[in-house]
Structure formats: C-alpha cells, structure tokens
Amino acid sequence: DSGVTQTPKHLITATGQRVTLRCSPRSGDLSVYWYQQSLDQGLQFLIQYYNGEERAKGNILERFSAQQFPDLHSELNLSSLELGDSALYFCASSVAANTEAFFGQGTRLTVV
Amino acid sequence: GQQLNQSPQSMFIQEGEDVSMNCTSSSIFNTWLWYKQDPGEGPVLLIALYKAGELTSNGRLTAQFGITRKDSFLNISASIPSDVGIYFCAGVIIQGAQKLVFGQGTRLTINP
C-alpha cells in the first residue's frame, strides 16, 4: 500500500457527462501529480500541484481541470466526456516537488 | 527535449535470464526513478537514484545513474515469473521548472 488513495476505483459514464476523480496523497506529501494511461500506453502527464498551487502542466485538455485543496487532497474534473477519454487515471504524491513519487491504484474510467 | 527514450519497448525472455533496459535523454536529470506496473495496478517505485554514477540494488534489481546525468539503466538478474510487467523509468529534469517525466515503458514477458 503506497498510502495514496484514489476514489472511485471504477467509473462508467456516458459521453457528454462530467466526472470528478479524487486523490488523497500520502501523509506529509505536498505535491500531487495526475497521469492518464490509455490501454497499453505509457503514463501521460496531465498536471502537478504543490501545496495548493499549480506547479506544472502537461498535455491536459481544456475539458479537464484540477485543483488541490488546503487539506492537500486533489480532484481531477473531466467534462464533456468522449469515448477516447476512457483510460486509467493515476494520482501520485511526493514530499517535495519532483522527488520520488508514489502512485495510487488508479481510477478506471469507461465512457460509453 | 525533455522526452525520455526508454528501450527496449518490449522483451520476451526465458525464466532465469538476465534483463537489461535503459533510458536516455538529451536533458540533464538530478533524479532517476524506476517503477514497475502490474496489469490494472498503479506503478510501484523500485529504485531511486540521486547522484551521478550512483549504483543501487534492490534484491535482484540493480540500477545506475549515468555519469553524464542523461541516462540510467535497470538490470534484473535471474528473472522469475513475477517479474512480468511494465517497467518505467522516470526522471526529474534539472533545469527550468523541474518536472517529473516518464519513459514509455518496457513490457517484460517471461516464458517459463
């Protein structure tokens, strides 16, 4: 158990809908990262937060947004969902910005 | 640029064989990380490297931080069936806004 908690584990929703994925980092970790992994693909970096502020942005679509709250948990919001958004979404956390990161178990999103 | 080139993309070996994979980049890194991902699970941190030339072992796994700071390798000795999975390298780029970037992964398959 990495100590990073992601909910829900599975999510099935229809095209056009909006969903929110939640991540609780390891105790003491200030940095949270979000990654997207499509079937048999690598880890696509979406966005990183550090102590509540956006730190780095990857190839995140405009339909996607995220935030990190004062208690350091983070949420990834995906809207106007398309079939191609079906993927595993991982959250990772680290003590400082860009040190060793620990991953949650992921949320498997299926858009139908 | 900041891309990590991980090779090989896939490996098919016999149980008991040694395995070697590497990551290279044109950018300079101050941290190299190696992860293993089992199907449907989150990546698990195997080894972290922080100094150029550093050689670190974790059981049958050995990883090295390249002297040039632009590469790293991972070796697995005497492979066993549970070594099957996808191995990812990741690195923290040293210049600019430090980012944690991932290689595309090496898929390891073992024939018993």
Side-chain angles (χ1 to χ4, degrees):
Chain A
D1 182 3
S2 67
V4 179
T5 303
Q6 287 188 249
T7 57
K9 279 194 155 182
H10 303 275
L11 198 50
I12 301 175
T13 190
T15 55
Q17 295 297 305
R18 171 190 168 96
V19 298
T20 297
L21 313 183
R22 183 187 168 101
C23 171
S24 293
R26 292 188 320 157
S27 176
D29 284 0
L30 298 178
S31 194
V32 168
Y33 316 75
W34 286 98
Y35 292 86
Q36 179 193 56
Q37 187 177 40
S38 300
L39 189 62
D40 289 339
Q41 299 294 311
L43 293 158
Q44 174 103 325
F45 171 67
L46 297 177
I47 199 163
Q48 180 197 358
Y49 283 84
Y50 179 75
N51 205 19
E53 299 205 354
E54 184 183 303
R55 174 97 177 181
K57 220 169 187 176
N59 298 324
I60 186 167
L61 299 172
E62 284 192 12
R63 300 184 285 109
F64 295 2
S65 65
Q67 54 184 323
Q68 186 179 27
F69 294 87
D71 67 353
L72 301 177
H73 90 272
S74 178
E75 293 181 354
L76 178 68
N77 301 298
L78 315 175
S79 61
S80 303
L81 285 167
E82 302 174 358
L83 296 177
D85 297 327
S86 296
L88 271 167
Y89 291 84
F90 287 105
C91 166
S93 73
S94 62
V95 170
N98 299 311
T99 55
E100 48 194 82
F102 295 85
F103 281 78
Q105 290 298 297
T107 293
R108 181 176 292 281
L109 174 66
T110 304
V111 182
V112 298
Chain B
Q2 299 176 352
Q3 188 173 353
L4 280 182
N5 301 308
Q6 186 171 350
S7 66
Q9 285 190 332
S10 59
M11 302 183 73
F12 299 85
I13 63 169
Q14 299 292 322
E15 184 177 350
E17 285 186 19
D18 296 344
V19 172
S20 185
M21 61 191 77
N22 67 82
C23 272
T24 62
S25 176
S26 57
S27 300
I28 296 174
F29 291 80
N30 62 12
T31 299
W32 281 98
L33 308 170
W34 285 92
Y35 291 85
K36 177 179 182 249
Q37 185 180 28
D38 291 327
E41 303 289 325
V44 174
L45 182 65
L46 299 173
I47 292 179
L49 303 158
Y50 298 105
K51 294 194 318 188
E54 180 180 355
L55 185 72
T56 297
S57 293
N58 178 4
R60 292 177 296 106
L61 279 61
T62 302
Q64 186 160 30
F65 193 141
I67 290 292
T68 65
R69 293 181 168 270
K70 295 181 179 181
D71 61 347
S72 177
F73 72 74
L74 174 71
N75 288 338
I76 305 173
S77 63
S79 58
I80 60 177
S82 62
D83 291 333
V84 165
I86 303 176
Y87 292 81
F88 290 99
C89 65
V92 178
I93 294 171
I94 201 168
Q95 61 257 55
Q98 295 186 351
K99 282 170 42 172
L100 180 61
V101 295
F102 278 78
Q104 288 305 300
T106 296
R107 182 181 295 274
L108 179 63
T109 303
I110 298 175
N111 300 316

